[in-house]
Amino acid sequence: MKQLILMRHGKSSWDYDVSDKDRPLKQRGISDAHLVSKTFKLHAPEIDHIYSSPANRAMHTSMIFVRNLGFDLEKYSVNDSLYDFSGHSVEQFVRQWDNDLHTVAIFGHNYAFTSLANTWGDQYIENVPTAGLVHITFGVDDWSKISAGTTTQMIFPKHLK
């Protein structure tokens, strides 16, 4: 069985004249990332690896998650394929993972994450919100063969407030 945790970055700020990759989180984004990660921790599976988009807002969200889970940074990587908004690069990246990885969390962006959550999961999601988490399980042992999975968990900040 393979498990994929999709986590969209927290709410970002448009208050600074910086490139898209350099946009920081707003305070709400930081708070929501803490809220979702602490809730996820209550029933979290053991995660084999965490990957993040190189965008500041995604890396900051992932670091909050890593810290709250007490996750080993040796199993953390940043990957350019996750700086994707369509989902095509993310999908190709996931499909080439080593099959020794069973449970993986990725931090990235919309529209990619909503699209993949709806492609791979069995529950329609209108929009994965900022700091939203979707956990999908697949009944296969090969990442290249994942298709229709089961959405086992959705944690959205608005449901926790």
Side-chain angles (χ1 to χ4, degrees):
M1 182 174 80
K2 300 296 182 196
Q3 297 185 73
L4 177 63
I5 295 118
L6 300 164
M7 175 110 182
R8 184 176 171 199
H9 64 77
K11 186 76 171 164
S12 61
S13 174
W14 292 85
D15 294 342
Y16 304 93
D17 185 21
V18 295
S19 72
D20 181 70
K21 274 191 176 177
D22 292 331
R23 278 192 294 120
L25 290 178
K26 291 182 92 141
Q27 185 56 50
R28 182 182 127 202
I30 294 168
S31 301
D32 286 352
H34 278 288
L35 188 62
V36 170
S37 62
K38 288 176 180 176
T39 301
F40 178 73
K41 182 180 180 177
L42 299 174
H43 304 286
E46 184 176 334
I47 297 172
D48 298 312
H49 204 90
I50 292 176
Y51 293 99
S52 176
S53 158
N56 182 24
R57 60 197 182 273
M59 288 192 302
H60 191 172
T61 303
S62 69
M63 283 294 103
I64 291 168
F65 197 93
V66 162
R67 186 173 52 217
N68 286 335
L69 289 181
F71 191 76
D72 180 359
L73 281 175
E74 298 274 324
K75 302 180 206 171
Y76 174 88
S77 307
V78 173
N79 191 285
D80 288 335
S81 297
L82 295 175
Y83 187 67
D84 172 31
F85 303 94
S86 71
H88 299 298
S89 293
V90 175
E91 181 176 356
Q92 290 174 353
F93 177 61
V94 169
R95 291 188 183 282
Q96 57 84 35
W97 287 340
D98 187 306
N99 287 319
D100 288 343
L101 299 174
H102 300 288
T103 303
V104 180
I106 58 176
F107 290 77
H109 311 274
N110 249 2
Y111 171 77
F113 278 23
T114 295
S115 174
L116 291 172
N118 287 321
T119 298
W120 288 333
D122 63 352
Q123 294 183 43
Y124 176 75
I125 301 169
E126 178 81 27
N127 178 55
V128 175
T130 53
L133 181 147
V134 179
H135 180 178
I136 303 170
T137 58
F138 303 94
V140 296
D141 291 321
D142 186 332
W143 285 108
S144 69
K145 293 184 168 76
I146 64 170
S147 58
T150 302
T151 305
T152 56
Q153 188 173 195
M154 290 183 286
I155 305 173
F156 297 164
K158 69 180 180 183
H159 299 145
L160 304 173
K161 296 179 181 177

